[in-house]
Amino acid sequence: MEHLDDEAVTRAGTHEGRAALPEAARAHLDTCVLCEQRVLGTERLASVLREEEPDPAVPSFDTFIAPHLTPERAPEPAPAPAPEPEPVPVPAPRVTAGRAAHLALAVTWRQVRLVPPVLSSAVVAGFAVLALALALVPSRPAEPYVEAVTVGLVTIAGVVACDPRRDPRREAFHAMLVPPLAVWFARLVLVLGAVLVLAVAVSALAGAVPGGRPFPELVGSWLPPSLLGAALTVFGTVWRSPAVGLVLGGVSWAMALAVFRWNTATGVFGAVAAPLWADLTASVTVAALVFAGAAWLVTRPGRSVG
Amino acid sequence: MRITAREVRYRYRGTTALAGVDLHVHGGVFGLLGPNGAGKTTLLRLITGLLRPRGGPLLVGGHDMGTIGGRRAVRRLVGYLPEDPGLYAHLTVRKNLDHAALLKGDPHARSRNRRAGQVMDRLDLTAHARTRAGELSVGGRQRAGLAQALIGGPPLLVLDEPTSALDPVHRHRFRELLRDLARDTTVVLSTHVLDDVARVCDRVGLLDAGTVAFTGTAAQLARAAPDGQDLEQGYAALLGHAPAPDQNSRPEP
């Protein structure tokens, strides 16, 4: 092994001692007279220096530095006064079950007056014309017409029900007993429910016409695309704007046509789209999820488009 | 009703709106001041239960606003006028107030009608009862919004800049109304109109960058000014802005 370098000699000859050296260096020191002499010299030098200049007592940070910093420190904030809450919470007016039911009816009835009359006229007129056509021309298949009218009216109704001008999500309404979600839900059930009930009535009429398709099959043809279309339209309107709602509703309708009428839904696309727009269970499930997403958006005070 | 906030925080996506608010409102009219973006509207939304506070506690009338039950209870006790009064433009003033009374839990048409009449009288709106809200002036809409907040006689009134569009006559009446209401209602008033603060508020809180920079009376706020009297300069001094020189008091050359 080579001789110890200066740093190792200094370590061995001062406070740290020979034990601080690595094992190989210690073994070398035991056999090398030259290095031993160098370490002994360093030990003697250190000893003399210690006698002349004892080790300085280094004061702690707290005793030496901190007192000089104290004047520069920000004053300690005064302890905040203990909160003094209301001794007993102020009682909020209670709503009994009877009053809640009365209120729910009143709120729902109010939606009848808040929805523009032109929507009611359009819905009634649309189904009346359809019923008339079915009665006058019974030989033609009713299915495409019932589906087209229902999906179209449901899309329009979804947009109108969430129209920003009648938006129940305005900030002031979020601080009221009846939350915007309840008002929105009441309006949606009223408007979409009316359209679907009329569609069922027209389907019953079409089913009763001699040679017509059976009523359950007829309902099964328009109900899945109507539910999905309504859900997507409502979600788009609540999320962004009526225009977005109409686009999503239109896309849904096009998908329904691709699946049922044009038979263009093939391959992987068809495998996904066909059950979604044709199967009642799948469409109800997806529509429920989309409606739930729209409902969540309605509960957000900052998302009002009104 | 008392409002107690301690270390209340709130963040919007990536933006800290309130960075630890300590506040105590005992009752009367409490003025909330601060520059734009200081967090006033966020604090009002927390007090009214529109938002859920982080940190805390925030107690309103003894109800913990960190809980769903607390926020639900306060919604039955509060009248709130946000910056946008939220009126339906196609409905008349009376129908808007009737709708507000319904949403505040009154299912009886006759009772709602009576309440609407009372608040319209109080706010000089009777002549506009059949006017559509969309046809009202900005000040008229603000009064109709205030009527909407007042309907049902809530024990806590939270008003976000309610006088910004009022003419001097209606502003004067509004102040009288607030003083009258303050006898049995706690009013939290966010405003930039320091004159309103000086004349109406029992206590004032100054928000700056999401924290409370000052609480006290309007007179105490004025004492922060170099001359110890000017509310506007006291406000500026507390916010760390050099008060603007008063043009009228400049000495003649």
Side-chain angles (χ1 to χ4, degrees):
Chain A
M1 182 179 172
E2 290 181 8
H3 294 297
L4 298 184
D5 59 21
D6 289 344
E7 186 184 342
V9 170
T10 305
R11 287 177 69 190
T14 54
H15 283 295
E16 292 179 73
R18 298 169 189 233
L21 295 176
E23 196 173 344
R26 281 205 308 274
H28 173 78
L29 197 55
D30 289 339
T31 56
C32 178
V33 177
L34 182 63
C35 288
E36 176 68 18
Q37 289 295 323
R38 288 170 64 208
V39 169
L40 285 173
T42 305
E43 280 176 349
R44 279 196 297 275
L45 186 61
S47 167
V48 170
L49 284 174
R50 269 199 294 273
E51 283 172 16
E52 290 294 318
E53 253 180 66
D55 282 349
V58 180
S60 70
F61 178 90
D62 284 341
T63 56
F64 190 58
I65 305 290
H68 298 282
L69 295 178
T70 305
E72 299 297 321
R73 280 184 181 168
E76 287 290 323
E84 298 168 33
E86 215 86 30
V88 177
V90 176
R94 294 189 69 81
V95 182
T96 60
R99 192 179 177 88
H102 193 177
L103 198 54
L105 275 177
V107 168
T108 308
W109 179 242
R110 172 56 52 87
Q111 303 317 307
V112 175
R113 289 162 58 184
L114 278 175
V115 170
V118 68
L119 176 67
S120 327
S121 309
V123 169
V124 171
F127 282 115
V129 169
L130 183 62
L132 203 61
L134 291 173
L136 293 177
V137 197
S139 58
R140 302 197 66 168
E143 189 183 316
Y145 303 104
V146 178
E147 183 195 316
V149 170
T150 306
V151 173
L153 287 175
V154 150
T155 305
I156 292 168
V159 169
V160 172
C162 304
D163 177 14
R165 282 170 298 179
R166 293 166 175 80
D167 199 335
R169 295 175 289 160
R170 300 183 180 193
E171 190 171 342
F173 298 156
H174 280 276
M176 294 183 183
L177 172 68
V178 180
L181 179 63
V183 178
W184 176 81
F185 188 70
R187 189 181 300 172
L188 211 58
V189 167
L190 187 81
V191 171
L192 296 182
V195 176
L196 294 180
V197 164
L198 284 174
V200 167
V202 172
S203 299
L205 178 70
V209 171
R213 204 171 165 190
F215 170 70
E217 278 183 33
L218 204 51
V219 171
S221 72
W222 58 256
L223 193 53
S226 298
L227 287 176
L228 262 185
L232 289 169
T233 304
V234 164
F235 182 83
T237 308
V238 170
W239 176 46
R240 281 287 179 260
S241 65
V244 173
L246 278 174
V247 167
L248 290 183
V251 168
S252 172
W253 196 354
M255 294 294 291
L257 290 174
V259 169
F260 285 115
R261 304 272 164 262
W262 305 331
N263 293 322
T264 50
T266 54
V268 177
F269 169 70
V272 175
L276 208 53
W277 269 269
D279 180 61
L280 188 59
T281 309
S283 61
V284 165
T285 306
V286 174
L289 289 173
V290 177
F291 273 126
W296 181 79
L297 290 176
V298 170
T299 62
R300 317 299 295 169
R303 298 207 65 103
S304 172
V305 292
Chain B
M1 254 172 85
R2 294 183 200 170
I3 300 169
T4 305
R6 190 154 189 195
E7 275 298 309
V8 169
R9 295 186 298 277
Y10 194 84
R11 275 175 70 84
Y12 295 100
R13 279 179 204 158
T15 308
T16 299
L18 297 178
V21 166
D22 292 299
L23 200 66
H24 198 62
V25 179
H26 303 265
V29 183
F30 185 87
L32 200 56
L33 295 171
N36 293 330
K40 300 190 297 293
T41 298
T42 301
L43 184 56
L44 298 188
R45 286 176 177 166
L46 293 176
I47 290 172
T48 50
L50 268 71
L51 300 175
R52 185 167 72 86
R54 314 294 175 193
L58 171 61
L59 301 172
V60 178
H63 298 283
D64 184 355
M65 301 305 281
T67 65
I68 293 174
R71 292 196 294 280
R72 193 175 290 161
V74 167
R75 277 185 212 133
R76 298 176 192 180
L77 297 167
V78 69
Y80 178 40
L81 172 63
E83 278 185 270
D84 173 11
L87 302 164
Y88 286 131
H90 65 288
L91 294 185
T92 64
V93 170
R94 180 179 283 280
K95 283 186 177 168
N96 267 296
L97 295 178
D98 181 75
H99 185 61
L102 174 65
L103 297 185
K104 286 188 177 188
D106 186 350
H108 305 287
R110 194 174 294 172
S111 152
R112 292 200 304 266
N113 196 35
R114 181 174 47 77
R115 289 179 180 202
Q118 284 170 349
V119 289
M120 282 193 297
D121 279 348
R122 209 164 183 184
L123 287 158
D124 285 341
L125 282 166
T126 309
H128 299 292
R130 290 171 183 275
T131 308
R132 288 176 188 226
E135 293 165 7
L136 290 172
S137 64
V138 179
R141 278 204 293 277
Q142 211 157 31
R143 278 185 291 139
L146 184 59
Q148 194 170 259
L150 280 176
I151 208 159
L156 172 64
L157 205 54
V158 177
L159 311 173
D160 197 356
E161 302 194 25
T163 59
S164 57
L166 296 187
D167 61 54
V169 171
H170 282 117
R171 183 170 291 177
H172 175 72
R173 288 189 186 166
F174 171 76
R175 288 175 187 151
E176 286 183 338
L177 173 68
L178 276 196
R179 291 301 335 156
D180 186 34
L181 285 168
R183 282 181 291 180
D184 53 3
T185 305
T186 299
V187 182
V188 179
L189 168 72
S190 163
T191 183
H192 288 296
V193 184
L194 294 177
D195 201 27
D196 287 346
V197 172
R199 289 168 193 263
V200 174
C201 295
D202 300 301
R203 285 179 67 76
V204 177
L206 176 59
L207 274 183
D208 185 25
T211 58
V212 177
F214 167 87
T215 50
T217 62
Q220 287 169 333
L221 178 59
R223 269 184 232 133
D227 66 356
Q229 292 181 345
D230 189 298
L231 195 56
E232 196 172 326
Q233 293 196 10
Y235 171 91
L238 280 168
L239 292 178
H241 303 300
D246 188 343
Q247 300 294 323
N248 297 327
S249 63
R250 192 173 287 173
E252 292 288 324

